[in-house]
Amino acid sequence: MLKKVRDKLSLLGPSILWASAAIGVSHIVQSTRAGATYGYSLILIVILANVLKYPFFEFATRYTVVKNETVLDGYRRIGKWAIYLYTALTISTMFTIQAGVTLVTAAIFENWLDINLGLFLSSFIILLISIIIIQLVRNNFFVNFIKILIFILIISTIASTILTTNVSVDISSDFLPPEIFSYIGITFVIALIGWMPSPIDLSAWSSVWIMEKRADNSKFDIKDNSFDFNFSYLITTVLAVIFLILGANVFYGSGVEFAASASSFVGQLAELYSSLGEGARNLILLSAFCAMFSTTITCLDAFPKVLSKCSELLPIQKKSKNFFLPVVAMGTLIVILYFSTEMRKLVDLATILSFLTSPFLAYLNYRLIYSHDFPATSRPNLLIKSLSLVGMIFLGIFSLVFIANKLGLIF
């Protein structure tokens, strides 16, 4: 029995890395804030976003396993515009995304250890440790390290939820449940959906990691991929719901005004959990740190590899991942040093770009699976195809709602 479980867990790899990247700000900050602000009312929205985006992440891994090439190769076959779109999106958002997750990790690190090195220095230390792990640790050990972080995250998050189930929140006398159907409410819901469980452009990351796994002479067929992907995707969905429940259990109705910046929000998170005892505070910060540190490492690992692959497909000189790694790290530190006060605007911009390109990337992944040169016998069943069509309509409608909301046409 134990051997069977161990063999199954050994199959986890490319998609567990994707899950590690996905379980970041969208879960720690957005899901917790959703519960804290709107109670349990957005649970269905979180589940719906995960379900309707499922096919497009699955398509990316399926295409790679069957065709033995990344979805980026597939995008290039569709047309130059597709790979240019993906490359432009990656370049325009990578420094902001990496800076955002690194800053949150640094804030948790300082809160947990009760030190004050300054967020820039803490961010530098975290990036340095991440680079050392990426460069010096063999790939299979790197994956196992991420698995350990995910395992600790799951256990500590479930324990935190159990601990807060019977918490009695002092409802503020002037508390009024906020309206979801308002400008602020719709804006929040759109941001929640946009990065839940992650932007669709991250589907290419698991594709690149699958090819890396195969390059290590590892057997990884469609059945193995199915277990790896479905298990990892389920984890991201369940943890998103759990963090929402945590926020609702501890904060809903308390009247606390949460800070706009993620790093300040982490400070409030630690302070409020400390009211439940030092054990509760350490437990939630352990969960948060495991989630954000694994996100920081996997993002820093993925961006250079994806850029290297894009450079191979574009009419420019191919650059290795070792060329792009210091570029991403240095760009991240520059954003943190000079633009930290504008981080919210930069994150908003990254969110907007990811959100507006999601319907196009969803269509590209759909087209790869249902093109004439993809084996019909390897395509997903009719239910998944139907779900993907509904998903594309869903993403398209929400993109239009997003634009209309920004233009003030709704509220």
Side-chain angles (χ1 to χ4, degrees):
M1 181 66 179
L2 286 175
K3 184 180 183 301
K4 193 172 182 179
V5 172
R6 189 170 61 249
D7 290 344
K8 275 292 186 182
L9 292 178
S10 69
L11 295 175
L12 298 176
S15 289
I16 204 70
L17 292 176
W18 167 82
S20 175
I23 302 167
V25 174
S26 63
H27 288 58
I28 300 299
V29 178
Q30 292 291 78
S31 286
T32 305
R33 185 173 275 161
T37 308
Y38 298 99
Y40 303 117
S41 59
L42 293 182
I43 284 180
L44 287 179
I45 293 292
V46 168
I47 294 173
L48 184 67
N50 280 274
V51 169
L52 292 179
K53 284 186 178 181
Y54 170 88
F56 311 114
F57 291 104
E58 199 274 348
F59 289 169
T61 63
R62 182 181 293 265
Y63 178 86
T64 306
V65 170
V66 173
K67 297 288 287 183
N68 200 35
E69 65 178 22
T70 70
V71 291
L72 298 174
D73 293 288
Y75 293 169
R76 180 62 183 82
R77 293 180 192 280
I78 290 174
K80 288 182 180 180
W81 67 270
I83 194 64
Y84 276 118
L85 171 67
Y86 186 87
T87 305
L89 177 63
T90 300
I91 292 173
S92 61
T93 61
M94 65 181 181
F95 296 129
T96 298
I97 291 173
Q98 188 68 57
V101 299
T102 305
L103 270 175
V104 177
T105 309
I108 296 168
F109 174 73
E110 292 203 337
N111 262 289
W112 194 15
L113 299 182
D114 195 23
I115 57 176
N116 187 22
L117 299 175
L119 286 178
F120 178 79
L121 182 55
S122 293
S123 297
F124 175 81
I125 292 170
I126 287 165
L127 284 174
L128 182 61
I129 292 171
S130 300
I131 290 171
I132 290 171
I133 292 172
I134 291 168
Q135 290 291 83
L136 299 184
V137 176
R138 288 176 56 188
N139 187 55
N140 58 329
F141 289 114
F142 174 70
V143 174
N144 288 333
F145 176 70
I146 297 299
K147 287 180 186 177
I148 291 169
L149 288 178
I150 293 291
F151 177 76
I152 295 172
L153 169 64
I154 293 170
I155 298 300
S156 57
T157 305
I158 292 174
S160 298
T161 308
I162 295 171
L163 189 67
T164 62
T165 300
N166 296 317
V167 168
S168 178
V169 178
D170 293 327
I171 303 297
S172 175
S173 58
D174 58 350
F175 173 72
L176 290 173
E179 290 286 336
I180 295 176
F181 295 102
S182 62
Y183 177 82
I184 294 174
I186 293 295
T187 300
F188 180 81
V189 169
I190 288 172
L192 184 67
I193 291 172
W195 277 18
M196 183 59 63
S198 77
I200 291 180
D201 47 290
L202 266 66
S203 64
W205 294 13
S206 51
S207 178
V208 169
W209 282 318
I210 288 172
M211 293 305 296
E212 192 174 63
K213 186 176 180 69
R214 285 188 161 181
D216 291 336
N217 299 316
S218 174
K219 172 184 170 292
F220 195 75
D221 58 24
I222 195 164
K223 185 178 178 182
D224 298 334
N225 175 69
S226 180
F227 173 75
D228 178 32
F229 175 77
N230 288 316
F231 181 85
S232 302
Y233 201 88
L234 180 63
I235 286 173
T236 64
T237 304
V238 170
L239 285 176
V241 172
I242 288 177
F243 274 109
L244 186 149
I245 292 171
L246 275 170
N249 285 350
V250 181
F251 307 130
Y252 183 66
S254 64
V256 173
E257 289 291 330
F258 289 106
S261 73
S263 56
S264 298
F265 176 80
V266 168
Q268 289 180 306
L269 198 69
E271 183 180 341
L272 287 165
Y273 268 98
S274 66
S275 65
L276 303 178
E278 193 63 21
R281 176 184 179 275
N282 287 330
L283 199 57
I284 195 61
L285 287 177
L286 173 63
S287 299
F289 182 76
C290 286
M292 293 310 307
F293 186 47
S294 61
T295 298
T296 300
I297 296 176
T298 45
C299 286
L300 194 60
D301 183 62
F303 279 125
K305 289 175 180 176
V306 167
L307 286 173
S308 178
K309 184 63 184 179
C310 288
S311 72
E312 177 186 323
L313 298 171
L314 293 172
I316 59 175
Q317 184 180 355
K318 184 184 184 313
K319 300 291 185 181
S320 72
K321 64 180 181 181
N322 290 330
F323 170 82
F324 287 110
L325 180 59
V327 172
V328 175
M330 289 300 296
T332 298
L333 289 172
I334 290 171
V335 169
I336 291 172
L337 182 61
Y338 293 106
F339 302 100
S340 58
T341 57
E342 302 295 322
M343 186 58 67
R344 186 181 180 188
K345 293 179 182 178
L346 292 175
V347 170
D348 284 346
L349 178 61
T351 305
I352 290 169
L353 290 172
S354 293
F355 193 87
L356 294 181
T357 54
S358 284
F360 300 101
L361 294 174
Y363 167 72
L364 289 177
N365 287 1
Y366 175 88
R367 184 170 167 181
L368 289 177
I369 296 298
Y370 293 99
S371 63
H372 66 276
D373 61 342
F374 190 86
T377 54
S378 298
R379 289 173 184 163
N381 58 41
L382 182 60
L383 176 63
I384 299 300
K385 182 177 182 180
S386 301
L387 187 63
S388 67
L389 294 173
V390 174
M392 281 190 285
I393 294 170
F394 170 80
L395 290 171
I397 289 173
F398 259 86
S399 292
L400 294 176
V401 170
F402 175 83
I403 294 170
N405 192 51
K406 282 291 183 183
L407 294 175
L409 300 177
I410 300 179
F411 296 101

